[in-house]
């Protein structure tokens, strides 16, 4: 029986991207995936500690692996991701002695080396596949490429800089080569990732920008869609706005966290902008990018957040009517300035009340925005099939989830779908055209 791996991932897209790469590397070493930890020869947890609730889930998982390791001492257990900061390893080793290998975010090499050394796997060849999320589970249509690793911006609530290290942009050529290899494997949509992705290139010796990177990627013939996240309002430039507006492959979808709707709270978060500046940017983006969808992140119950300050966040979201809002209750994180300086003084029930209020507001906004699409035809890149429900699913350029039924094979194709049902989180429709599987973009007759 072939050796098997079980990979468990929580957290942001960066973690998902790291897991895809690790999965590809393990598959190259001859491992096949299993959903059952008890059947695995290698188990990897890819962890998140951005909030206490995520960290607690990780501890729960870690504890559940102990009996497995006791039963099969040959089992290899690896832990990767933001739990494994540079200062945490000694403590973690002591607390969880049944873990064989600890790996910082985006660094799976120690596990791969161990598997080779222990002879569990044949020596892998360094082929292109290594980069790729091409999985034993089948063709992958969309993929993420981390372009900015780490973060050096000190938002006072955020632990990420302490776990992912200083900000560093990857070289342009490396990213292009990776994108080309992905596209050659059938990937049609690429999402560029960075904690503050619009800072891409500012730390490179050649001082390039995200806009320039988008223009370079745009030339890849069989790449159909490009996204990027997460943008920070302070670094969202005119140049980037123009690139998104001009480049047909770059989807009109911007992730732009505001975090709070009150200037005093924003200042204590050290976000570096005011509410008015944020609103101005949203207006500009909407004016220049037709049909754009904008998503945001909010933290409720930041230390000292008064009812009145929370009301301002509520009013801001009610006024802006953004397409998607990720809402989190503030969670004090070790090492961060906020945790050291400000007492966590908003009671949990109050944080939850505020979260719920925003959630309800946003549900009704999303419901209304999606209902406008009823009867319209949208372009969907088909990413997969829900076999249980017998329907295809994919996303619009504005990142809306769409399902439709069809007996044809739609995987990796662009479908024109007429929307027949809408809810706050997804849409259902019927495929109206059966475009041949090919690029929607004619060869470019002018350089963009
Ligand atoms: N760098 C990215 C992602 C950061 S983590 C960004 O700027 O968006 C994703 C989201 O988690 C953040 O936007 C924030 O809303 C939330 N978050 C981060 N730290 C948090 C904390 N200590 N408590 C609650 N939510 C937090």
């Amino acid at each position: 029986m072939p050796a098997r791996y079980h990979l468990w991932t929580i957290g942001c897209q960066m973690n998902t991207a790291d897991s895809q790469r690790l999965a590809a590397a393990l598959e190259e070493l001859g491992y096949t995936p299993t959903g059952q930890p008890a059947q695995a020869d290698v188990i990897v947890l890819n962890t998140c500690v951005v909030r206490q609730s995520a960290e607690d889930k990780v501890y729960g998982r870690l504890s559940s692996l102990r009996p497995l390791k006791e039963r099969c001492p040959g089992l290899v257990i690896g832990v990767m991701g933001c739990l494994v900061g540079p200062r945490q390893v000694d403590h973690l080793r002591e607390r969880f002695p049944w873990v064989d290998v600890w790996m910082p975010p985006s660094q799976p090499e120690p596990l791969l080396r161990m598997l080779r050394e222990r002879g569990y796997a044949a020596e892998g060849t360094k082929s292109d596949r290594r980069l790729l999320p091409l999985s034993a589970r089948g063709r992958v249509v969309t993929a993420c490429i981390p372009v900015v690793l780490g973060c050096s911006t000190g938002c006072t609530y955020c632990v990420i800089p302490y776990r992912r290290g200083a900000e560093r942009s990857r070289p342009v050529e490396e990213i292009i080569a990776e994108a080309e290899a992905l596209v050659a494997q059938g990937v049609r949509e690429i999402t560029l990732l960075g904690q503050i992705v619009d800072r891409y290139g500012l730390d490179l010796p050649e001082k390039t920008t995200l806009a320039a990177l988008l223009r370079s990627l745009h030339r890849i013939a069989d790449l159909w869609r490009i996204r990027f996240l997460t943008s920070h309002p302070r670094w969202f430039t005119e140049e980037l706005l123009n690139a998104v507006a001009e480049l047909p492959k770059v989807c009109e979808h911007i992730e732009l966290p505001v975090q709070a709707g009150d200037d005093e709270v924003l200042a204590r978060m050290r976000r570096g902008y005011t509410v008015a500046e944020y609103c101005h940017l949203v207006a500009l983006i909407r004016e220049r990018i037709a049909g754009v969808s904008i998503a945001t992140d909010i933290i409720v119950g930041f230390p000292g957040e008064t009812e009145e300050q929370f009301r301002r966040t509520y009013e801001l979201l009610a006024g802006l009517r953004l397409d998607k809002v990720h809402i989190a209750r503030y969670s004090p994180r070790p090492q961060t300035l906020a945790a050291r300086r400000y007492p966590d003084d908003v009671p949990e029930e109050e944080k939850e009340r505020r979260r719920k209020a925003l959630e309800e507001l946003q549900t009704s906004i999303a419901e209304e925005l999606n209902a406008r699409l009823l009867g319209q035809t949208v372009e969907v890149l088909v990413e997969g099939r829900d076999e249980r429900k017998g329907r295809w699913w994919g996303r619009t350029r504005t990142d809306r989830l769409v399902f439709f039924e069809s007996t044809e094979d739609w995987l990796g194709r662009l479908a024109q779908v007429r929307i027949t049902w809408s809810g706050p989180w997804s849409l259902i429709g019927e495929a109206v055209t059966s475009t041949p599987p090919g690029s929607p973009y004619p060869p470019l007759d002018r350089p963009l």
Side-chain angles (χ1 to χ4, degrees), residues 381-436:
L381 176 60
V382 183
E383 291 180 48
R385 187 173 162 84
D386 180 344
E387 287 303 343
R388 210 168 38 89
K389 296 201 170 163
R391 55 191 195 179
W392 295 98
W393 64 269
R395 284 171 197 279
T396 64
R397 293 173 57 91
T398 55
D399 206 38
R400 290 184 159 81
L401 185 60
V402 180
F403 297 94
F404 66 95
E405 280 179 28
S406 169
T407 48
E408 267 180 71
D409 181 4
W410 278 99
L411 188 66
R413 291 167 62 188
L414 285 167
Q416 297 296 326
V417 179
R418 205 175 61 83
I419 301 303
T420 54
W421 178 90
S422 75
W425 319 124
S426 66
L427 302 159
I428 299 177
E430 51 202 26
V432 287
T433 53
S434 129
T435 45

Side-chain angles (χ1 to χ4, degrees), residues 58-76:
V58 172
Y59 293 142
R61 277 277 154 162
L62 268 169
S63 305
S64 74
L65 297 182
R66 184 182 193 159
L68 276 183
K69 179 73 176 184
E70 282 167 359
R71 228 177 303 142
C72 344
L75 170 69
V76 174

Side-chain angles (χ1 to χ4, degrees), residues 50-51 157 160 195 230 257 259 297 299 328-331 333:
V50 79
R51 286 178 284 280
Y157 50 82
I160 291 174
Q195 295 301 333
T230 305
Q259 308 298 2
D297 292 3
I299 297 176
R329 290 171 301 192
Y330 171 73
S331 166
R333 302 285 60 214

Side-chain angles (χ1 to χ4, degrees), residues 135-168:
S135 161
R137 283 159 287 202
R139 177 177 171 189
V140 178
V141 178
T142 64
C144 293
I145 301 184
V147 299
V148 188
L149 305 174
C151 186
S152 299
T153 301
C155 301
T156 56
Y157 50 82
C158 190
V159 73
I160 291 174
Y162 303 96
R163 302 304 172 93
R164 288 191 171 266
E167 178 180 79
R168 58 234 185 255

